[in-house]
Amino acid sequence: MKQAVLRVSGKPAERGQQDGKRLRLEEYLKYDDRTDSQYELVAGELVAIPPESPKNVQISLFLLVNFLKFIPVNRLSNKVEIVVAGSRATTRIPDLIVLTDELATALEGATRSTITLDMPPPALVVEVVSPGKANEDRDYRYKRSEYAARGIAEYWIVDPQTNAVTLLILVDGFYEETRFAGNSAIASTIFPDLQLTVEQVLNAGESNVGKEDR
C-alpha cells in the first residue's frame, strides 16, 4: 500500500486547526476534508493513501474470493481501519482484513468501520507491497511491530516485487516468519484448508483462467 504524508490543511474538521498540527485520535475520527480521499493517521500525522495499482487490487480481490470459501462475507473487509497501539495515535487500513466473530459483532451498528483499541484484534491482515523502499519499510518493519503489539494472530505480506509471500504468525507476542515463493503452498493457521500457491496469488488466479473448461 502506497502512502504520502499530508500536512493538515484545506478544510479541516474543526475550525481553527493549524497546518502541520498533529491530530489526536478523537480529532482524526472526526476529520472530514469534504473529499473522497482516504487517510491513515501515523503518529498523529495524516497520511494520504493513493489509489492502489490494478495489480494490487486484483491480488486483494483474489484472496478475498478464496477466503470467502471458508468464512461469511461479514467477516471480511478491504475498508476497515484499525487503531494500533503506540505512544502517538496511529491507524492502519490493511488491503484485506479478516475479522473474528467477536469483532464482527462489536462492529455491528457502528457508524464508522474503525477497530478501536477496546475491541478485539482481527484474526488476519493482508498487505500487498507497492514498489519503493518507503513502502517496503512500512509493510515489513513498522506494520509488523504495530500488528504484533495489537495482537493480530496472522499477518500476510504479499510482495509482487520479490515474488514472495511472507507469513507472520504471532507467538508469545512476537511474529515468527515463514517465506513462501513459487509453487509453495501458503500454510495459514487461520485457513488450514486453504490451498493456494504464491504463484496463484501473485497472478491473481489468471494462470488458471480457462483451465477448468479444457
Side-chain angles (χ1 to χ4, degrees):
M1 180 182 290
K2 296 182 291 184
Q3 297 176 315
V5 175
L6 177 72
R7 297 294 181 182
V8 178
S9 60
K11 300 176 181 177
E14 299 180 2
R15 190 181 302 276
Q17 187 168 335
Q18 301 298 315
D19 288 0
K21 175 183 175 182
R22 291 184 183 273
L23 298 177
R24 298 190 304 273
L25 179 62
E26 295 77 13
E27 292 174 317
Y28 163 75
L29 293 176
K30 295 177 182 177
Y31 182 79
D32 182 7
D33 64 359
R34 299 177 179 87
T35 73
D36 293 329
S37 300
Q38 192 173 37
Y39 303 99
E40 290 181 338
L41 186 68
V42 180
E45 287 189 289
L46 280 180
V47 178
I49 302 175
E52 292 288 341
S53 69
K55 177 73 171 180
N56 284 19
V57 171
Q58 288 171 7
I59 290 172
S60 297
L61 289 176
F62 177 72
L63 287 173
L64 184 148
V65 168
N66 279 275
F67 290 172
L68 280 174
K69 297 175 183 178
F70 305 98
I71 57 176
V73 68
N74 71 323
R75 293 267 310 278
L76 276 170
S77 180
N78 59 356
K79 295 295 183 182
V80 172
E81 68 179 342
I82 178 170
V83 181
V84 294
S87 58
R88 291 175 175 167
T90 298
T91 65
R92 296 297 188 183
I93 305 177
D95 289 305
L96 186 61
I97 190 166
V98 178
L99 312 177
T100 62
D101 287 332
E102 186 180 7
L103 180 53
T105 298
L107 284 169
E108 287 181 359
T111 57
R112 181 184 177 112
S113 296
T114 301
I115 302 170
T116 55
L117 289 174
D118 60 341
M119 293 180 181
L124 182 153
V125 294
V126 177
E127 297 285 5
V128 183
V129 184
S130 296
K133 187 177 187 306
N135 295 313
E136 293 173 9
D137 286 345
R138 185 176 300 110
D139 290 339
Y140 280 100
R141 296 178 57 194
Y142 307 133
K143 291 181 182 179
R144 175 176 179 149
S145 60
E146 292 165 353
Y147 291 159
R150 190 62 179 82
I152 299 173
E154 190 165 308
Y155 173 27
W156 290 29
I157 305 173
V158 181
D159 195 338
Q161 284 66 243
T162 62
N163 295 314
V165 173
T166 301
L167 191 70
L168 302 164
I169 305 297
L170 193 65
V171 178
D172 297 329
F174 297 93
Y175 280 131
E176 292 188 353
E177 174 182 322
T178 305
R179 187 175 183 274
F180 299 92
N183 289 319
S184 299
I186 302 168
S188 170
T189 59
I190 303 299
F191 298 110
D193 296 324
L194 183 70
Q195 296 182 351
L196 285 179
T197 66
V198 173
E199 185 177 69
Q200 287 174 317
V201 171
L202 293 175
N203 290 332
E206 291 179 3
S207 61
N208 294 327
V209 174
K211 286 187 178 181
E212 294 180 358
D213 298 329
R214 293 178 184 176

